[in-house]
Amino acid sequence: MVTRPNDAKYVDGKEILVTDTDERTSEIPEVERIIVRFAGDSGDGMQLTGDRFTAASALFGNDLATLPEYPAEIRAPAGTLAGVSAFQVHIADHDINTPGDSPSVLVAMNPAALKADLPKVVEHGTLIINSDAFDERNLKKAGYESNPLEDGSLAGYQVITAPMTELTKEACKDLGVKPRDAERSKNFFALGMVSWLYSRPTKGTYDWIEQKFKGKDLVIAANMAAFKAGDVYAENADLWASRRVVRPAKLDPGTYTNINGNTALSWGLIAASKQAGIPLFLGSYPITPATDILHELAKHKNFGVRTFQAEDEIAGVGSALGASYGGHIGVTTTSGPGLALKAETIGLAVSLELPLVIVDVQRGGPSTGLPTKTEASDLMIALHGRHGEAPLPVVASSTPADCFFAAIEAVRIAVEYHTPVILLSDGYLGNGTEPWRLPSVDDLPPIKVEYLTEPNNVGVEGAPDFMPYLRDETLTRPWILPGTPGLAHRIGGIEKDDTGNISYDPENHERMVRTRDAHIAKIAESIPPIVPRGDVDADVLVLGWGSTRGAITAAVGRMRRKGRKMAQIHLRHLNPYPPNLAELIKSYDKVIVPEMNLGQLAHELRAEFLIDIKSITKIMGQPFTPAELVERIEGAIDD
Amino acid sequence: MTETITTTRKDWVSNQEVRWCPGCGDYGILMAVQMAMTEIGSDPDKTAFVSGIGCAARFPYYMNTYGMHSIHGRSPAIASGLALARPDLDVWVVGGDGDMLSIGGNHLIHAMRRNVNLTILLFNNRIYGLTKGQYSPTSEEGKITKSSPMGSIDHPFNPISLVLGAEASFVGRTHDMDRKHMIDMFKRAHDHKGSSVVEIFQNCNVFNNGAYGDITSNDRREEMIIDLHDGEPIRFGHDGSHGVIIDHGVAKIVETADVGVDALTVHHHDNPDPSVAFALSRLASNPDAPTPMGVFRSVERPVYGDVLEAQLEKATADKGPGDLNTLLHSLPTWEVG
């Protein structure tokens, strides 16, 4: 019997003006949501600006989702399309899942930003433009033949221009800031304008500027002055008609924080270390977009966290494996190229049967690929990317905050089952943020750790004997810490028997290969059955994994509101699958799998369950938007 | 480090049959390590041997200690993780010239510069033995092997020069024909705090027999081995007939009678400047000339693990022991009623 509870609580707003004005709202019209995209040169501070607008909105109580997009070069040539750095944030008065389909507001700091991102903006959207940057040189660099601010090409939009550079310099001129330095504060002018337009509280931003630039008084003064000047400019420039407010969202009661996936994942590892009662060791080599996990964990040495910046990816995983052997939770963090380099050591961990967590914050591949863009194309290498028969558990996080719980689950499996585990995140989750209702520390799942301290077997003539590869009912071998009196033994990558000693016996090898495989399969017994969301009588199942969760949830919600019966499953466990997946997946007429790769999970599911799968794929370095998913899912249903 | 205990060699011998080729130099090294352990006073249960791949890398299976036979070249990285996680253990690393200087060269040099508390035994037989005879990164130019039928065109590493360049804090050299010298080197390498490396000239009697015969055979040692003794003039040969001077930074062999004992360079292994040790390492690039043996360098430098632990203690003293609930609330938060 397949359980299909009805969970129809999807909310997904349209941008509809709420015109009634009561005392609560003053005269500012309310909107359910806005999607703002800050775009400029990579030196213009767009990530910082977007981040700050997000934080102000989070503290105001909106639900939100963010999408930072930046070039791989630290400083791509100024003024060019390649150098455009953007930050998109979706804020709403209700529960939302994604950074949105298309921005309703574009802040463009130069012609290149306008050119690159204008096609993304909704019809009749609002453009907030720094007119000072639209000189002949910048227009040429962006490939404009005429000035779009003058040639009428923006007629379909609501255009708000401001000479942001000059006004910022003017605002700073009495502060003793050099004009060149003052110019760098123009992003705060833009932030001031946008904050006024969307009625964001300003105090938080003032406090933040003081905190962020502590000790640099001139920078604080310049940024404050620019922010205020932007705010005043917007108020005085007769932009009242454009002003909107997005009310706080009705979220579940609790304490919230705005968190990105890399931070949540780091905290999850620390929490898991606490839950297991053993120290955390991170061996890592810097790689985009995973490096922030190394940065974050390096800050928390008071939790007993040891971070080791290794000489290369291989030493990163090697040192983590060595630490695991010594009784720590060994973790290594990387992205695709690093995962490829670590493959041999992960295979060793499979053979040794030691706990190890390998975090892959995926990015566009192959090779260097798109280092700063997101993709979910490492599923196959995670599942199969080792020589020999080398199965291991693979778990995936699905939202920025979910990275916290995914990390705990990865550590739980690694430690309780004594196996390497690959945890898949991606660039979109790692850098993107969402409000997170903080869990109670007391509610976190326990992680059971047992060490062997005495002989575990009886040998010839009843003498106590010890076998490092003697297994329990879950086929897990004991964890024996070096230093334990009387249990000294050797382990290695050569095939072994239960004593840990080398064995080239043909039957033993077959037994060990099959046992290691069965051991990983048995982990399914510790995974709760998966429960689909949506309509009980659905004939269509949309099945996803990883960061597509938000977009799929929004798309399925929209389709169901139009009357289409649908169900949705999102997989945390990609090996082994939840125990009821086979039964469940076969109970739908159509199974549709959207993925940010060429259909890797679809391929796996077809092979595993011998059923047809409709695969929807996207490999553009950007997440799916709900709108495009609705269209693609409808296409797949009709196919 | 552990407290010293009394053991016999037998306590260090595992139940595994040793499976090196008969006559291999590794047997002598194994024996010397086991004997050194009894003299050091180590506890087998508090000792771990980590190796990579190669003939030498089978070593852990023969020691009655904790051990890991890992993968090719990676043992210094794995051992670093183990040593940092478990400062209470004695962690030894064993590997050959291919393992440590070719596929694992990167890990070796970084272990040196970090000064992780490891004792590294580098078995140098100047050949790939386990794959049955290809030239290695220490094989001499022109060497005829299965993979170099017309002679190797690779220029070899000088392992001592390499590790000195990698900021090693302890560098020693010994050879498989002199058990007493090996035991002495292993003890001193062990007692050194930080990364220590001992290059062991080791004979592969199957694929590179006699590689060191010109210097290590009984009748050649007196004139071909330059024993380095701390605080003493560097002399060798019958009655110290020869010695070493450093001339414009270059080590040169001289006849003692020609220059006088006082002119000979006095060896200081704790010299902060590694230049003299480096010059000594360049005296012989091939084992056909007088070759220094002993401790080239032994200097005190902060040990990676000690500093790491001190940072953990300082972080805990400054911020208090980590509290998960405080961590979760460390970014700006807001309440929803």
Side-chain angles (χ1 to χ4, degrees), chain A residues 20-224:
Chain A
D20 63 327
T21 52
D22 55 26
E23 68 286 349
R24 171 171 76 88
T25 60
S26 72
E27 283 85 42
I28 307 168
E30 290 181 17
V31 287
E32 291 183 356
R33 60 174 176 159
I34 54 163
I35 301 167
V36 185
R37 190 173 175 92
F38 295 90
D41 212 44
S42 45
D44 282 344
M46 290 298 98
Q47 302 300 323
L48 195 73
T49 311
D51 223 30
R52 188 53 233 159
F53 185 75
T54 303
S57 301
L59 293 178
F60 185 65
N62 297 125
D63 195 19
L64 56 88
T66 67
L67 174 65
E69 286 191 272
Y70 48 91
E73 294 76 17
I74 301 297
R75 288 283 182 273
T80 64
L81 292 177
V84 173
S85 171
F87 187 103
Q88 185 167 316
V89 54
H90 181 184
I91 62 175
D93 67 359
H94 57 275
D95 188 7
I96 55 166
N97 303 298
T98 74
D101 292 323
S102 306
S104 41
V105 183
L106 172 66
V107 178
M109 299 302 285
N110 68 3
L114 181 67
K115 180 129 191 180
D117 285 352
L118 186 63
K120 300 184 172 78
V121 179
V122 294
E123 229 177 311
H124 310 306
T126 302
L127 308 177
I128 300 169
I129 294 174
N130 176 16
S131 54
D132 283 337
F134 281 65
D135 60 16
E136 205 174 319
R137 195 157 154 266
N138 280 334
L139 287 165
K140 202 175 154 201
K141 276 196 211 168
Y144 278 116
E145 287 178 4
S146 63
N147 188 343
L149 303 184
E150 293 162 3
D151 64 11
S153 62
L154 304 178
Y157 301 91
Q158 190 200 352
V159 181
I160 302 169
T161 62
M164 298 186 195
T165 314
E166 284 311 313
L167 291 175
T168 301
K169 282 199 230 170
E170 182 67 23
C172 295
K173 77 169 193 251
D174 296 331
L175 300 172
V177 185
K178 289 184 199 135
R180 219 185 134 75
D181 291 338
E183 197 181 322
R184 295 177 55 179
S185 295
K186 64 181 180 294
N187 55 328
F188 282 90
F189 187 98
L191 182 62
M193 280 185 75
V194 179
S195 295
W196 185 86
L197 273 172
Y198 298 102
S199 321
R200 302 290 89 183
T202 52
K203 183 178 179 304
T205 298
Y206 292 132
D207 293 347
W208 176 85
I209 290 173
E210 287 199 336
Q211 185 63 34
K212 174 88 184 168
F213 301 101
K214 208 172 182 174
K216 298 174 191 162
D217 291 346
L218 279 183
V219 179
I220 292 173
N223 287 340
M224 292 266 199

Side-chain angles (χ1 to χ4, degrees), chain A residues 223-239:
Chain A
N223 287 340
M224 292 266 199
F227 182 78
K228 280 178 199 167
D231 180 88
V232 169
Y233 179 87
E235 185 168 357
N236 293 338
D238 200 17
L239 298 178

Side-chain angles (χ1 to χ4, degrees), chain A residues 58 251 253-257 274 299 301-302 306 311-312 319 326 328 482-484 486-487 489-493 501, chain B residues 16 45 60 65-69 74 81 85-86 106-107 110 114 309 311 319-320 322-323 327 332-336:
Chain A
L251 301 172
T255 305
Y256 283 75
T257 199
K274 281 261 175 192
K299 289 195 288 198
K301 292 194 164 71
N302 60 325
R306 289 162 181 81
E311 59 270 24
D312 58 28
S319 59
H328 286 215
T484 309
L487 299 188
H489 65 285
R490 277 62 59 193
I491 56 176
N501 290 320
Chain B
Q16 296 296 292
D45 286 330
T65 64
Y66 284 88
M68 187 197 292
H69 179 219
R74 315 303 169 202
R86 294 293 302 279
N106 198 32
H107 307 306
H110 288 277
R114 284 196 191 100
E309 292 306 311
Q311 286 194 351
K319 298 195 261 183
D323 177 73
L327 176 68
T333 60
W334 69 97
E335 299 295 329
V336 173

Side-chain angles (χ1 to χ4, degrees), chain A residues 270 273-274 278-282 297 300-307 328, chain B residues 309 312 315-316 321-322:
Chain A
I270 292 172
S273 156
K274 281 261 175 192
I278 45 181
L280 182 69
F281 181 98
L282 175 73
L297 287 175
H300 300 299
K301 292 194 164 71
N302 60 325
F303 283 85
V305 177
R306 289 162 181 81
T307 55
H328 286 215
Chain B
E309 292 306 311
L312 261 67
T316 308

Side-chain angles (χ1 to χ4, degrees), chain A residues 297-549:
Chain A
L297 287 175
K299 289 195 288 198
H300 300 299
K301 292 194 164 71
N302 60 325
F303 283 85
V305 177
R306 289 162 181 81
T307 55
F308 179 73
Q309 186 176 311
E311 59 270 24
D312 58 28
E313 295 280 359
I314 299 171
V317 67
S319 59
L321 182 62
S324 280
Y325 177 54
H328 286 215
I329 298 170
V331 179
T332 189
T333 47
T334 191
S335 189
L339 184 61
L341 283 165
K342 294 177 198 296
E344 190 193 10
T345 311
I346 298 170
L348 173 66
V350 169
S351 175
L352 297 176
E353 298 179 52
L354 281 175
L356 178 68
V357 174
I358 304 104
V359 178
D360 175 12
V361 187
Q362 300 164 93
R363 65 191 217 187
S367 189
T368 310
L370 300 174
T372 60
K373 310 289 181 196
T374 196
E375 204 165 279
S377 49
D378 292 348
L379 178 61
M380 288 282 192
I381 188 180
L383 290 168
H384 307 296
R386 291 159 296 284
H387 66 275
E389 296 289 353
L392 53 70
V394 177
V395 299
S397 53
S398 59
T399 74
D402 181 59
C403 289
F404 178 82
F405 299 101
I408 295 176
E409 175 66 354
V411 173
R412 178 192 74 83
I413 296 174
V415 168
E416 293 189 354
Y417 286 86
H418 236 234
T419 174
V421 176
I422 293 181
L423 167 55
L424 294 174
S425 176
D426 66 29
Y428 166 51
L429 295 178
N431 290 321
T433 63
E434 66 174 344
W436 177 31
R437 187 162 67 98
L438 293 171
S440 162
V441 169
D442 299 332
D443 294 342
L444 296 178
I447 296 177
K448 191 178 73 194
V449 177
E450 284 173 15
Y451 303 117
L452 188 69
T453 53
E454 291 173 354
N456 57 355
N457 196 28
V458 178
V460 283
E461 294 171 8
D465 188 14
F466 157 57
M467 292 210 186
Y469 284 82
L470 196 66
R471 297 161 191 281
D472 65 12
E473 66 283 356
T474 66
L475 301 178
T476 305
R477 81 175 187 92
W479 199 352
I480 310 141
L481 299 188
T484 309
L487 299 188
H489 65 285
R490 277 62 59 193
I491 56 176
I494 301 185
E495 190 58 280
K496 61 198 73 64
D497 60 22
D498 292 345
T499 66
N501 290 320
I502 293 172
S503 168
Y504 295 120
D505 177 59
E507 275 78 28
N508 178 68
H509 178 56
E510 172 139 353
R511 182 178 66 88
M512 289 300 272
V513 167
R514 290 188 186 282
T515 306
R516 285 189 289 261
D517 197 52
H519 173 220
I520 301 306
K522 262 192 168 302
I523 294 167
E525 293 170 9
S526 74
I527 301 171
I530 194 158
V531 180
R533 299 177 59 168
D535 299 300
V536 180
D537 51 348
D539 55 353
V540 174
L541 173 71
V542 182
L543 190 156
W545 70 280
S547 68
T548 53
R549 180 178 185 163

Side-chain angles (χ1 to χ4, degrees), chain B residues 123-134:
Chain B
F123 293 26
N124 184 5
N125 59 12
R126 314 186 83 195
I127 196 78
Y128 282 104
L130 199 61
T131 49
K132 299 189 167 65
Q134 299 78 31

Side-chain angles (χ1 to χ4, degrees), chain B residues 290-325:
Chain B
T291 302
M293 292 273 169
V295 178
F296 283 73
R297 179 169 174 77
S298 177
V299 295
E300 295 290 323
R301 196 149 69 72
V303 178
Y304 189 99
D306 294 351
V307 182
L308 178 62
E309 292 306 311
Q311 286 194 351
L312 261 67
E313 280 165 28
K314 182 171 190 311
T316 308
D318 290 352
K319 298 195 261 183
D323 177 73
L324 196 53
N325 198 47

